[in-house]
Amino acid sequence: MAGNSFGKLFNLTTYGESHGAGLGGVIDGCPSGVALDLDAIQHELNRRKPGQSAIVTQRKEPDTVKFYSGIFEGKTTGTPIGFVIENTNQKSHDYTHIKDSYRPSHADYVYDKKYGFRDYRGGGRSSARETACRVVAGAIAKQLLKGIEITAYVSGVGTMKLDKPYNELDLSKAEANIVRCPDQEMASQMESYIKEVRSKGDTVGGIVSCVIKNVPVGLGEPVFDKLHAELGKAMLSINAVKGFEYGSGFHGSTMYGSDHNDAFNNDGTTKTNFSGGIQGGISNGMDIYFNVAFKPVATLIQKYETIDKHGNTVEMQGKGRHDPCVVPRAVPIVEAMAALVLADFYLINKMHS
């Protein structure tokens, strides 16, 4: 299986399955001498881990990260950083009913056809549990990117949408509720809706928005390695993501150029920021902001028809522990992937300077 690594200079390779002994990764290219706050790394994992509230999967995993290399006396050594997150609460028997059948909109069918064999326990390698490794690497990348602030939050659940622009919100309030929406009134409505959906054995999608402040001018490479292109790839590599838009996004296609152009101030900043902090694929110093759309979780705790590996129609009902809506736990994952992209371009810039 190819495609287990992300990044050019700041590179992450992950391994492991949802119900295997554990997951882990190797971070290569992190400079030496970076002082690491290990508690801050664990805090990021705690934001992502299952079982943290009543509206997420109730799988109980401590998600404690153990570092095996690349860190000495609290600082990076410049050598590969190896880490592992052990799985302690596997319930593989919850998935025996899909051993020979395919869940709709999951990776079951394509994995079987591509590899001729699959780990059906929770989806194996295709499980979103793999993203725990990304959060570890992203937490280290955040500490490398001193001064840059990366903040994601839930701006939509189903048809509920937070219409206020990010600069009218107190983003620090996103962590004050279990939905991770910075508007408390909207957060309460979203929480109630997710619980209602869960009670029906159904699922719902949503949107995670992200704002990156204090980005220096010059991150990103022209043509194929544009900053927004790499951010798009990073976000679309996250499980259940169906869409990415930055700056004015799709709305920008409805505007006149005379309205959409970001006029300059004398200091090089712009009066508006429809560009989303990126022009010509390169950061321009303004805030970078984007939205990431997540589909409803494909596993339904209700009966439905599907096919088995012989092509026979069979009846199935989801079992096990699943998120009725992934977006609250996806917030730290979005931040982590954004940090990995910026860390990579930060190192590329240093190489050219």
Side-chain angles (χ1 to χ4, degrees), residues 277-294:
I278 304 170
Q279 293 174 333
I282 299 170
S283 61
N284 67 354
M286 301 295 288
D287 292 349
I288 294 173
Y289 62 97
F290 56 86
N291 297 320
V292 187
F294 288 78

Side-chain angles (χ1 to χ4, degrees), residues 170-288:
D170 182 353
L171 300 187
S172 66
K173 292 183 177 179
E175 293 295 316
N177 58 75
I178 60 177
V179 181
R180 293 202 166 99
C181 174
D183 183 291
Q184 187 57 53
E185 183 178 347
M186 178 62 76
S188 297
Q189 295 177 30
M190 289 175 172
E191 180 182 345
S192 297
Y193 183 53
I194 293 171
K195 288 178 177 177
E196 178 187 344
V197 168
R198 182 177 202 157
S199 69
K200 298 176 181 178
D202 216 329
T203 62
V204 68
I207 298 173
V208 173
S209 297
C210 186
V211 181
I212 311 176
K213 293 179 173 291
N214 306 323
V215 180
V217 178
L219 297 189
E221 300 296 319
V223 192
F224 295 115
D225 292 339
K226 292 180 171 69
L227 177 54
H228 58 272
E230 291 301 308
L231 284 170
K233 176 183 176 179
M235 300 307 145
L236 290 166
S237 75
I238 301 171
N239 307 62
V241 170
K242 302 297 286 186
F244 169 81
E245 64 172 356
Y246 77 101
S248 61
F250 286 96
H251 174 67
S253 66
T254 68
M255 299 173 68
Y256 290 114
S258 54
D259 295 324
H260 190 270
N261 284 349
D262 294 320
F264 283 106
N265 296 310
N266 290 336
D267 61 357
T269 61
T270 56
K271 299 181 188 301
T272 56
N273 189 19
F274 294 114
S275 299
I278 304 170
Q279 293 174 333
I282 299 170
S283 61
N284 67 354
M286 301 295 288
D287 292 349
I288 294 173

